[in-house]
Amino acid sequence: PPQSLPCTIANLNRLHMKIKSTTIALLIACLASSVSHAQPDRWQQRVKYRMDVTMDVTANQFRGKQTLEYWNNSPDTLDVLYYHLYWNAFQPGSMMDSRSRELGKKVLFGRQDWDGRVRDRISKLKPDEIGYQKVLSLSVNGKPAQTILYETILKVIPATPILPRSKAVIELGFEAQVPVQIRRSGRDNAEGVRYSMAQWYPKLCEYDREGWHPTPYVAREFYGVLGDYEVNITIDKSYTIAASGYLQNPDLIGHGYQRPGYDYKEPAGKTQTWKFVAPNVHDFVWAADPDYIHLSRTVRDGLVLHAFYKIDRAKLAAQYEALSPRGKQNFGNSADNFVANTRLEWEGVLDLAARALPYMDSTFGKYPWKQYSFIQGGDGGMEYPMATLLKGAGEETVIHEWMHSWYQGMMGTNESLYPWMDEGFTSYATSRVENHLQGDTMRFPHGDAYNAYIMLSKSEYDEPLTTHSDQYNTNMAYSINAYSKGEVFMEQLGYIIGAKARDKALLEYYRKWRFKHPDAVDLVRTAEQARGIQLDWYRTFFVNTSKRID
C-alpha cells in the first residue's frame, strides 16, 4: 500500500505536485515489486564451446578450431578476456617447475615437501616431451583481437568491448603438443595409457562478481565457466576414446559403444571422428588408448556407467617391483597376483559404483547426468565432469573421484579460493559412503581426517582455510587443510547443528546451489536456515583463522 513508503511519497509529492495520485500509487507498487524480486540469484557467465581437433598419434600433437559463444550476463563491460593455456606449464623453468623445485628444498618431518609426482621432472623434459598450447588466431565477433601471453595465461584485448548482458562469439585456431604425463594431463603414463587429455584446450577464465580469475597453473586447482560442449575428435581408428559427455555416433564408432546386437562394420580409412556433447559442465576431459578394455552398465533412469582400463603386464610388473617388501607380501610376493588383483579391481568398478549410487543419491542429491566414466589414465585420481582419470581402481579412490561430481562437478565452486569446499567435502562424503558400503561398521569414519587436522593445528605449519590454494607455504599444509580440515568442517557442523539438520542442509545446498558457484557464506547460510541458529561465528573462526576446535 502507498502508506508503507511515506518518505518516498513525500519526496515525490514535493518534486511532482502535478502528478496524479493514481500515477504515484502505480509507481510505488512497481518500486515495491522490483525490490521484492531484485536479484533472487547471482548472475553468472555462460559458455557454449564447439571444438574440432585432429590428433597426430605419431608426433603427439594436434591442431584444432574452437568457436565459443560467451554470454556476458554481468552488469560490466568487458574490455579484456583471459584464457588458460595449461600445458605451457610443462616446460623447463615454468612457474610449476620452479615452484615444485623450491618447495622440494623444504624438509618436513623427514621428507621433502614437493609433490612426488612432479618433483624436478619438468626441468628434465626434452623438446619432444614438453607440453605447449599455441593460439594461432583469435577473433571476437569477427574482428581480430590483440593477444599477450603470460605463460599459462593468454590476455585477449578485443577490438570492441563486450557489453553487459550481451553475447560474443570468439573464434580461435590452436595447436598443442601433449607432454609426457607429469601431473594430470599427458601421454604414456605409468600404466602405459597413451593419452590423458585433461586441460587440453584453450579455456576461457571465469569472470564473476569478484572479477576475472586468470590463475596461473602451478599444479593446484581449477575454476570454470558452466556451459555446453560439442567436441569432435579425429584420431587413428585403432584408438578407443573415453570422455566427458555423450557419444553422438556410437554405431559408426564401435569400440563397445554400439547398440547391443548392432552389426558394426569397421570404417574405411585410417581415422575416425568421435562426436561428443556435454551439457551444463565446466570442463571436458578425454583419454585414448588402442588397448582400452571398455565395460558399461545401465544402472537407473538411463544412467550408463563406463569403465576403461588396460592390462599392461610389463608396466604392472614394474609397479610391483617398486613396492616395499611389506607391499609385496600383500600379493603373496607374486607379480602375477598383483596383475590379477589389478584386473579384478577394474572389473569390479561398475559393481562398486552401482552399490554406492542409491546412498549417494539419497544423501547428497541425485546424480543429474546420463553417463559417468571411470578412466584409467591418471597419476592418482583427478575429477572432471562426467568422468575421472584414475591410476588405480581401489574402492576409496573410485568413490572419492565420483563424489567430486557433487562437490565440484555440480557446485562449480572456485577451487583455487575454496579447495576445502571441494576436496574436503568430497573426502567427508567418501568416508560416509565407504562406511555405508561396509555396513556402518566403521567406529568413526572421519578419524583419519581429525588426526591429520590435529597434527597440523599443533604444528608451526598451520595456515587458515582462507589461504589461496597456490599460496600455501607448504604442500603439507595445503593437503591437510583442503582434504582433512575440510572434512572436519562438515563433521563439526553436524556436531553443532545436529546430524539430521546437517544432512538436511546438504540436500538443500544441492537443491539451491548446484550449477551456481557457491562459496563458504552460501553454505553456512544454508545450514543456518536448516537449523534456525546463527553460524557466522563458526565460519569466522574455523575458516578465517587458525584457532582450534575444543
Side-chain angles (χ1 to χ4, degrees):
Q3 60 267 30
S4 66
L5 293 173
C7 294
T8 302
I9 293 175
N11 290 336
L12 288 171
N13 282 338
R14 281 194 294 270
L15 294 171
H16 306 288
M17 293 296 292
K18 295 183 179 180
I19 297 178
K20 295 182 179 180
S21 60
T22 53
T23 305
I24 296 174
L26 179 60
L27 174 62
I28 293 173
C30 291
L31 285 171
S33 176
S34 66
V35 170
S36 65
H37 292 90
Q39 297 183 344
D41 295 304
R42 286 196 293 265
W43 57 264
Q44 63 188 71
Q45 310 294 63
R46 188 78 183 178
V47 292
K48 184 176 181 179
Y49 284 92
R50 177 192 166 92
M51 290 182 281
D52 297 272
V53 298
T54 301
M55 169 68 79
D56 181 338
V57 298
T58 301
N60 300 309
Q61 298 175 351
F62 63 90
R63 296 177 73 92
K65 294 181 179 179
Q66 179 189 105
T67 299
L68 174 64
E69 295 178 63
Y70 181 53
W71 282 266
N72 177 20
N73 295 320
S74 79
D76 307 321
T77 296
L78 304 180
D79 54 10
V80 65
L81 306 168
Y82 294 93
Y83 273 84
H84 295 284
L85 301 177
Y86 292 108
W87 286 0
N88 291 344
F90 300 107
Q91 299 176 18
S94 69
M95 290 177 66
M96 183 188 290
D97 176 34
S98 300
R99 176 183 173 281
S100 180
R101 288 187 284 120
E102 194 66 28
L103 287 178
K105 296 177 182 178
K106 299 182 179 182
V107 178
L108 279 60
F109 303 106
R111 66 176 296 272
Q112 288 175 279
D113 188 49
W114 53 18
D115 186 324
R117 294 161 293 194
V118 181
R119 302 171 65 93
D120 59 352
R121 292 175 61 203
I122 297 176
S123 67
K124 300 175 181 178
L125 292 177
K126 301 173 183 177
D128 63 343
E129 296 175 331
I130 67 169
Y132 63 72
Q133 290 164 326
K134 299 178 181 179
V135 172
L136 306 176
S137 62
L138 192 150
S139 65
V140 180
N141 291 329
K143 299 178 181 179
Q146 179 186 354
T147 61
I148 306 172
L149 180 64
Y150 302 98
E151 194 180 275
T152 60
I153 296 295
L154 183 71
K155 182 177 181 179
V156 178
I157 304 173
T160 303
I162 302 174
L163 298 177
R165 299 178 180 86
S166 68
K167 185 182 81 169
V169 177
I170 306 166
E171 296 178 290
L172 62 85
F174 65 103
E175 66 177 24
Q177 178 169 287
V178 188
V180 169
Q181 189 181 48
I182 290 178
R183 191 69 183 98
R184 299 187 176 104
S185 320
R187 62 178 175 88
D188 304 315
N189 79 337
E191 284 72 48
V193 173
R194 282 290 286 137
Y195 295 116
S196 299
M197 303 295 284
Q199 289 82 54
W200 59 275
Y201 60 95
K203 183 180 180 183
L204 190 70
C205 298
E206 178 65 289
Y207 182 85
D208 61 19
R209 69 188 191 282
E210 297 180 359
W212 284 105
H213 294 274
T215 306
Y217 188 35
V218 296
R220 285 271 163 80
E221 307 294 351
F222 305 98
Y223 186 31
V225 191
L226 282 159
D228 304 320
Y229 284 69
E230 180 182 341
V231 180
N232 303 317
I233 304 164
T234 300
I235 193 171
D236 185 295
K237 68 181 181 182
S238 67
Y239 280 71
T240 298
I241 291 182
S244 300
Y246 315 133
L247 183 62
Q248 300 299 289
N249 55 341
D251 290 344
L252 296 177
I253 289 297
H255 291 269
Y257 284 97
Q258 67 269 29
R259 291 170 292 168
Y262 180 77
D263 185 18
Y264 171 74
K265 292 181 174 60
E266 185 174 295
K270 296 182 179 180
T271 63
Q272 286 178 301
T273 299
W274 299 62
K275 299 178 180 293
F276 291 95
V277 297
N280 211 22
V281 295
H282 55 68
D283 205 353
F284 186 98
V285 67
W286 60 284
D289 191 275
D291 297 319
Y292 266 150
I293 299 168
H294 178 193
L295 306 177
S296 63
R297 177 182 301 180
T298 300
V299 291
R300 63 136 169 88
D301 298 333
L303 169 60
V304 180
L305 303 181
H306 300 271
F308 299 85
Y309 68 98
K310 65 184 295 183
I311 300 297
D312 186 322
R313 296 187 67 86
K315 294 287 187 181
L316 291 172
Q319 287 184 44
Y320 170 78
E321 291 302 327
L323 294 175
S324 66
R326 185 173 181 179
K328 291 179 179 178
Q329 288 177 4
N330 293 332
F331 301 98
N333 293 313
S334 168
D336 288 340
N337 290 346
F338 180 78
V339 172
N341 182 76
T342 301
R343 185 187 298 275
L344 285 173
E345 283 189 333
W346 278 105
E347 289 177 347
V349 162
L350 301 186
D351 288 333
L352 170 63
R355 287 190 292 116
L357 180 61
Y359 181 81
M360 295 159 73
D361 278 343
S362 62
T363 308
F364 306 105
K366 189 175 181 179
Y367 180 80
W369 292 286
K370 295 188 293 184
Q371 81 94 24
Y372 190 83
S373 295
F374 301 93
I375 308 168
Q376 186 184 40
D379 57 355
M382 182 58 199
E383 71 282 355
Y384 297 93
M386 284 193 258
T388 184
L389 296 178
L390 299 166
K391 183 175 182 180
E395 178 178 300
E396 182 178 1
T397 303
V398 167
I399 297 301
H400 180 92
E401 298 308 323
W402 195 9
M403 278 307 316
H404 271 299
S405 295
W406 281 258
Y407 298 115
Q408 187 49 23
M410 280 182 251
M411 295 303 166
T413 297
N414 185 345
E415 293 178 275
S416 294
L417 297 179
Y418 309 102
W420 57 278
M421 294 182 67
D422 167 36
E423 296 293 353
F425 294 177
T426 296
S427 296
Y428 166 81
T430 301
S431 296
R432 289 191 61 176
V433 173
E434 283 203 281
N435 193 30
H436 169 76
L437 291 174
Q438 296 175 24
D440 297 325
T441 58
M442 297 170 68
R443 184 174 181 182
F444 182 59
H446 312 291
D448 289 344
Y450 272 84
N451 290 336
Y453 158 64
I454 291 168
M455 184 275 290
L456 179 66
S457 70
K458 291 182 176 181
S459 78
E460 62 184 289
Y461 305 109
D462 195 15
E463 299 181 60
L465 287 178
T466 49
T467 307
H468 190 285
S469 64
D470 292 331
Q471 296 166 10
Y472 275 89
N473 293 320
T474 66
N475 276 321
M476 182 189 72
Y478 159 76
S479 297
I480 293 177
N481 265 1
Y483 290 80
S484 300
K485 192 172 181 180
E487 181 172 350
V488 171
F489 176 96
M490 190 59 75
E491 178 62 17
Q492 286 294 122
L493 180 62
Y495 171 76
I496 294 167
I497 69 175
K500 289 184 178 179
R502 187 262 326 281
D503 288 356
K504 176 184 175 183
L506 282 175
L507 287 173
E508 181 63 10
Y509 183 56
Y510 162 89
R511 185 195 68 79
K512 186 176 182 180
W513 287 108
R514 58 182 177 150
F515 307 117
K516 294 181 181 178
H517 307 301
D519 58 25
V521 173
D522 301 321
L523 171 72
V524 170
R525 290 289 293 135
T526 302
E528 286 181 337
Q529 292 157 7
R531 188 64 176 87
I533 63 175
Q534 293 302 118
L535 294 168
D536 59 327
W537 60 271
Y538 179 53
R539 176 179 58 82
T540 299
F541 282 114
F542 200 83
V543 176
N544 297 356
T545 77
S546 297
K547 297 181 184 296
R548 307 172 191 169
I549 61 176
D550 187 334

